[in-house]
Amino acid sequence: MTERRTGGRARLLLGGACAVLIAVSSVAVATVARADLTGPPGTTLKAAAERSGRYFGAAMGGDRLSDQGFLTIANREFDMMTAVNEMKPDATEPNRGQFDFRAGDAIYNWATQHGMRVRGHTLAWHAQQPRFWGSLSGSALRTAMIDHINGVMAHYRGKLYAWDVVNEAFAENGSRRSSNLQSTGNDWIEVAFRTARAADPTVKLCYNDYNIENWTYAKTQGVYNMIRDFKSRGVPVDCVGLQTHFTGGSSLPGNFQTTLQSFAALGVDVALTEADVTNASATQYAGLTQACSNVPRCVGITTWGIRDSDSWRGNENPLLFDRNSNPKAAYTSVLNALNAASTTVPGTSIPSPSAPGSVSPSAPGSASPSSPGSASPSTGSPGACTATYHLTNSWNGGFQGEVTVANNGSAPLSGWTVRLTLAGGQTIANVWNGVNTGTSGTVSVRNADYNGTLGANASTSFGFLANGSSSTAPVPVSCTSP
C-alpha cells in the first residue's frame, strides 16, 4: 500500500482555533442512532447512517466556528465531530501542568449544542507534543504522558463518545515507530490505555493509524497483532480507527472489508476516522462505505473536513463537498451505500415490543442492563483473593510493575484491596486500574469502580509506575476482599 502521510499532519485549519473561547457548559443531549433498516431512506449522510445504527462524522478546526457555510453543512449532514488540532497534546497542555481547553471546548460546545457526539483526538502521539516533552526522556517522559492523559480526560470525563488514545505508533514495516515515547519502553501504549481507562471508565478507547487498510500489509499486521495481544491480556482497548486516507486510482484495497472484519473479530469496534480520497473518487468512496456497512462492528465514518477548502489535501479535492459547498458525485455514492446497508451495529436495533419487565439484549461488551450497584453480593470470605506481582519494565531511576488480582474461589468477590511493601527509596508515581493510599512503605491499592467484582476463577490487574531501583521487588504482596 502506498504511503501517503508524512510524520506530522500539516497544521491546517488552526488559524482561528482560539478565536472562540467558550467554557464547557450544559448542552443539548446528542442523538444516538437507533437502527431501523425498514424505515425510509435517509436524505442526509447522518440520516442514512443512522438507519443502521452508525454515525457519519466530520473534522473541524476552530476557525470553522465562524464559517457559516461549513456550519450549515455540518449541522445538516453530520452527527459526530472531531477536532482537527484543538484536542491534541500541544494544544491542551502548552506548559507542564497548565491545561488550556478553551479551543477544544469551543468545538465540543458547538457540536453538542447541535445534537452531535464528539470523538477526542488525540492523547499520545509522536507529533504535536507539548514543547516541554522535548526535554524529557525515560521515566520523566512516561510520567508526563500519564499526567497529560489524566489531566485531559478528567476535563472531558463522561462527555465524549471516544478517544484516540494513541495515534500513529507503527512504522510501515509493522514494527513500532521510532519516537521519544517508544524510547520510554515498548509497553508505553499499554500504559496509555490503562491510564485512560482509569481516568474515564465509560468512553471508548481507540488506537488510530493510517495505512492499515490493506489486510496483507506489514503495518496492518503489526497493529492487528498488538490489538490481539491487548485483548488476550485484558488491556482496555475498545476500538481501532483506520484513517482511510486513500490516494490514487487504486488505493482502496480489495481486501478492505477483510481487514475490518478481522479487527472486529478480536472484539473491538472499527471506525473510518479521517477519510478522504484523491479527487473524491465516487467508486472508492462507495467501496469504503459499503465495506463498513457490511461489518456489524464498523460503527461509523468520519471525513477529515467537509469541503475541499477545509482539507489538508485541498489541492487533491478529496472530500464530499466542493469549495462552493455543493455535494459531489461521491456524496451521492456514499448516501446510496449507507441507505443500502444490510447490517446494523450490535445493540442499536429498535427492539420489538416485549413483555412488561423484559430487558432487551445488550450489545457485545456493553454493560449489563441491570441498574448500577445491582451486582450479586459477594459470598466469598475476606482473604479469598490472591495477588501476584511482576515487573513489566525498568529503566535507570524507575520501573513499572503489574499486580494480578485473582479470585481462586467458587463464589464471586465484590471489592478487593492489595497491600504491597516498597523497598527503601521506592515511591509510587502513578497507579492505573486501582486507587492507592500511600506512595511509599506499605501501600494499599483498592479496586477502581469498574473492576471490583470478580466472578469465580476470574482475575483483573492494576499497574503502577514507581521511582527508584527495581532490583528489590515490592513484597510482600497480599490481597483481601472486601
Side-chain angles (χ1 to χ4, degrees):
M1 185 170 183
T2 304
E3 179 178 1
R4 175 63 181 84
R5 296 284 305 284
T6 57
R9 185 188 313 285
R11 294 181 62 93
L12 300 179
L13 314 183
L14 188 59
C18 297
V20 182
L21 306 178
I22 307 173
V24 169
S25 58
S26 298
V27 294
V29 176
T31 57
V32 179
R34 301 296 296 174
D36 182 10
L37 294 177
T38 65
T43 58
T44 63
L45 295 172
K46 65 181 179 182
E50 287 170 1
R51 294 181 73 250
S52 61
R54 293 176 170 85
Y55 65 79
F56 206 92
M60 71 182 298
D63 54 349
R64 294 307 185 254
L65 288 166
S66 58
D67 184 332
Q68 194 56 50
F70 181 99
L71 299 179
T72 297
I73 301 173
N75 188 37
R76 183 183 72 231
E77 298 284 346
F78 299 92
D79 57 4
M80 185 75 73
M81 192 58 69
T82 303
V84 173
N85 288 303
E86 290 74 7
M87 292 186 183
K88 287 176 180 173
D90 59 344
T92 51
E93 192 181 7
N95 299 297
R96 185 162 199 167
Q98 296 178 351
F99 292 90
D100 186 348
F101 299 109
R102 291 173 296 178
D105 288 352
I107 291 174
Y108 171 85
N109 283 342
W110 186 89
T112 54
Q113 286 164 3
H114 289 80
M116 302 178 188
R117 291 176 289 171
V118 177
R119 297 187 76 260
H121 177 78
T122 177
L123 295 169
W125 189 24
H126 69 274
Q128 292 184 232
Q129 297 180 351
R131 184 176 301 176
F132 71 90
W133 284 20
S135 63
L136 303 177
S137 61
S139 61
L141 179 59
R142 178 72 65 90
T143 298
M145 178 194 75
I146 291 169
D147 290 345
H148 177 80
I149 293 171
N150 282 327
V152 174
M153 294 192 74
H155 180 76
Y156 289 108
R157 181 183 171 104
K159 297 175 181 177
L160 302 187
Y161 167 78
W163 266 111
D164 290 332
V165 178
V166 173
N167 193 45
E168 301 177 2
F170 276 75
E172 300 304 305
N173 64 3
S175 66
R176 293 288 184 86
R177 176 192 294 272
S178 177
S179 71
N180 59 346
L181 291 172
Q182 181 64 28
S183 296
T184 69
N186 200 53
D187 62 333
W188 74 271
I189 301 177
E190 176 177 345
V191 171
F193 274 92
R194 292 193 184 278
T195 302
R197 175 54 71 228
D200 189 341
T202 60
V203 70
K204 289 182 180 290
L205 306 180
C206 306
Y207 176 79
N208 192 56
D209 216 327
Y210 64 94
N211 280 2
I212 58 170
E213 294 83 16
N214 187 330
W215 176 240
T216 62
Y217 192 52
K219 186 175 185 179
T220 307
Q221 290 298 307
V223 173
Y224 174 83
N225 289 333
M226 179 187 71
I227 300 300
R228 181 174 59 183
D229 171 60
F230 280 6
K231 295 300 290 186
S232 72
R233 295 190 294 109
V235 179
V237 57
D238 304 310
C239 39
V240 173
L242 298 89
Q243 293 183 12
T244 323
H245 294 293
F246 286 156
T247 63
S250 60
S251 59
L252 173 65
N255 57 21
F256 184 42
Q257 185 173 320
T258 298
T259 302
L260 298 178
Q261 290 172 328
S262 298
F263 277 112
L266 295 177
V268 295
D269 292 341
V270 291
L272 315 187
T273 56
E274 304 181 22
D276 46 24
V277 178
T278 298
N279 295 323
S281 164
T283 301
Q284 291 195 56
Y285 262 118
L288 66 88
T289 305
Q290 289 164 357
C292 178
S293 298
N294 289 340
V295 176
R297 292 199 70 160
C298 186
V299 294
I301 300 171
T302 292
T303 56
W304 205 247
I306 292 178
R307 307 160 303 183
D308 292 334
S309 53
D310 308 316
S311 176
W312 66 297
R313 299 169 56 193
N315 63 328
E316 299 177 59
N317 302 316
L319 294 175
L320 299 177
F321 294 82
D322 67 21
R323 297 168 194 276
N324 295 317
S325 300
N326 298 312
K328 302 179 185 179
Y331 170 91
T332 303
S333 73
V334 169
L335 187 69
N336 291 340
L338 291 171
N339 279 317
S342 59
T343 71
T344 60
V345 176
T348 64
S349 297
I350 296 175
S352 301
S354 54
S358 66
V359 179
S360 299
S362 299
S366 65
S368 165
S370 59
S371 60
S374 64
S376 301
S378 169
T379 56
S381 60
C385 58
T386 59
T388 306
Y389 165 81
H390 69 273
L391 178 70
T392 59
N393 193 27
S394 64
W395 53 89
N396 185 23
F399 64 97
Q400 179 186 332
E402 184 176 76
V403 175
T404 300
V405 180
N407 175 13
N408 296 319
S410 58
L413 300 180
S414 181
W416 48 263
T417 299
V418 171
R419 289 178 176 81
L420 62 156
T421 301
L422 300 172
Q426 294 177 342
T427 58
I428 287 182
N430 189 68
V431 174
W432 53 93
N433 292 343
V435 180
N436 63 300
T437 300
T439 58
S440 61
T442 299
V443 176
S444 65
V445 180
R446 62 175 174 83
N447 58 273
D449 58 5
Y450 53 87
N451 63 356
T453 300
L454 292 178
N457 300 311
S459 64
T460 188
S461 64
F462 68 87
F464 62 90
L465 195 70
N467 297 318
S469 171
S470 63
S471 59
T472 303
V475 292
V477 181
S478 63
C479 180
T480 57
S481 175

